Amino acid sequence: MVESSSFRPMLNEDHLVIYLNYNNRSIVFNDEDQTVTVGAMVQLGEFNAFLDQYNLSWEVNFSAHSASIAGIVSTNAGGERSKAASQVAYFDLIGGDGKEYRLYSDLEQTHSMFPKLGTATQGLLGLITSITIHVKPRFKETLSAMVKIPYDQVNLFVDKLRDSPYLIACEMMDHKCIKEVLDRQDDGMTLLIKWGSVNTLNLESEFEGLVNSFPDYVESMMVSDSVSSEEALWKSRHDLSDTLRHVAKQKNMAYIGYDLGIPKDSLSRVINELNHYISSQGGHLFVFGHSMQSKTHYTLHCNYMMKKINPQLLPRFIKDELSDFDIHFSTEHGGCGEKSFNDILFVISQQELKDILVLTRQYDPNDLFRRNFKQLLEENIKS
Ligand SMILES: Cc1cc2nc3c(=O)[nH]c(=O)nc-3n(C[C@H](O)[C@H](O)[C@H](O)COP(=O)(O)OP(=O)(O)OC[C@H]3O[C@@H](n4cnc5c(N)ncnc54)[C@H](O)[C@@H]3O)c2cc1C
């Protein structure tokens, strides 16, 4: 299962590099507790293919089919419905101290800004060897809809949607995204909604409730009536990231992205502030992402195009002007890469930095894993 070798690199005589190729790709279904145990290197695509065979599904799914499950768990990655932490029963890890641990996720942590024990560990504590994940029966029927909602009504509308046990996805795209991906001049936020059931899907009371509470918006709602029309509705969402990159290139502009957690009840105000600020700097902001990963925050990509980009512009604005709102950074992709670490420095407290260092030192006392990151931590802790 494990190939390993060690060698001294030419550039630095002090450091020993250990090359480990840990190739555990086993996948086992545990019938009695409806979990699946996977080896660390199993890829998302392989895992999904296995689940298909058993008519099963899990709540974290996205386009990076070659991402390993260990990578997904380590970054607390998330799909339309949930973050990895909420779907992982536990994972096994060999700590930097050589001991074996079984770690349990913090079900409440819905961002990936910084590690906690068992959540978003970001390769800092040791080597994950296997992961046990909760799985569910696959949906037999699904139905999707697209609807445009004024920004200040989004929260009310999404809350109403979330009353339904059948709701499985509610993605958001702001009016600028819709202009680029569908060439439509809209105001407000477009929601892409999906409901599903393992039995027959009956949405009569859901639609009745929506019509009673939001008659004007529901009137213009587009609803799928076949598998192909459902796929067509979702195409805009799936094409969006590539489309925006392409548009930036065409406009000869640089493009940068931030994964923000925006408190639900402040969505409209925060988007408004961000839009004004980025426009005043000569840029174009695009907001899109997930509404269901967290109870308290929408996890949104806030990406902008500008002729020349200063990566500190947006984090600094958030720190200086939007500090009244509890905005999270790096809700996806993990906050422990170098760029995202610099971003979270704008919002993280000294105590939180110290807590991370204590945690990593406890499990990896000799700094075997991601030593450079621990140096970054130390450099940013004021004595
Ligand atoms: C096209 C694309 C789309 C994406 N879409 C989404 C999305 O919708 N939502 C989202 O949340 N993320 C998304 N991501 C990010 C993705 O979830 C992460 O990049 C993924 O977790 C990376 O997996 P990897 O195997 O490449 O891990 P790596 O990039 O190799 O590692 C990621 C982290 O995990 C650690 N790690 C990996 N394996 C182990 C192990 N065995 N033991 C201990 N630590 C380990 C590494 O040290 C590192 O810190 C996307 C990425 C791509 C490329």
Side-chain angles (χ1 to χ4, degrees), residues 79-196:
E80 289 151 5
R81 208 169 168 196
S82 298
K83 297 289 273 184
S86 67
Q87 302 305 306
V88 171
Y90 55 83
F91 61 86
D92 291 333
L93 171 124
I94 302 172
D97 57 5
K99 295 184 186 149
E100 290 179 26
Y101 295 96
R102 177 156 291 181
L103 301 181
Y104 296 84
S105 302
D106 174 350
L107 301 182
E108 296 304 315
Q109 180 164 333
T110 50
H111 61 73
S112 312
M113 282 202 291
F114 42 83
K116 278 202 195 132
L117 187 58
T119 306
T121 44
Q122 326 246 15
L124 292 162
L125 309 184
L127 192 71
I128 295 174
T129 54
S130 79
I131 304 115
T132 297
I133 296 165
H134 295 293
V135 293
K136 294 190 170 142
R138 207 153 53 146
F139 297 114
K140 196 169 125 203
E141 288 183 16
T142 61
L143 186 127
S144 292
M146 186 185 257
V147 63
K148 189 188 65 180
I149 307 288
Y151 286 107
D152 60 359
Q153 299 289 302
V154 169
N155 213 20
L156 283 175
F157 194 89
V158 171
D159 276 352
K160 182 82 187 163
L161 288 174
R162 290 187 72 154
D163 287 345
S164 167
Y166 298 122
L167 184 71
I168 54 175
C170 177
E171 295 282 284
M172 298 179 164
M173 292 183 279
D174 76 352
H175 63 284
K176 290 189 184 162
C177 294
I178 292 297
K179 169 80 186 70
E180 298 303 344
V181 79
L182 288 176
D183 197 17
R184 237 172 41 200
Q185 201 79 47
D186 280 348
D187 275 337
M189 186 73 94
T190 292
L191 304 183
L192 253 174
I193 307 157
K194 190 184 267 190
W195 297 269

Side-chain angles (χ1 to χ4, degrees), residues 16-32:
L16 179 71
V17 171
I18 301 174
Y19 166 78
L20 263 184
N21 185 2
Y22 191 87
N23 204 12
N24 181 357
R25 295 183 102 118
S26 69
I27 311 182
V28 179
F29 177 47
N30 315 305
D31 199 4
E32 68 280 11

Side-chain angles (χ1 to χ4, degrees), residues 40 62-64 66-68 70-72 74-75 77-78 122-123 126-128 332-333 370:
F62 46 83
S63 56
S66 62
S68 66
I72 288 174
S74 300
T75 53
Q122 326 246 15
L127 192 71
I128 295 174
E332 289 190 359
H333 305 116
R370 299 200 57 196

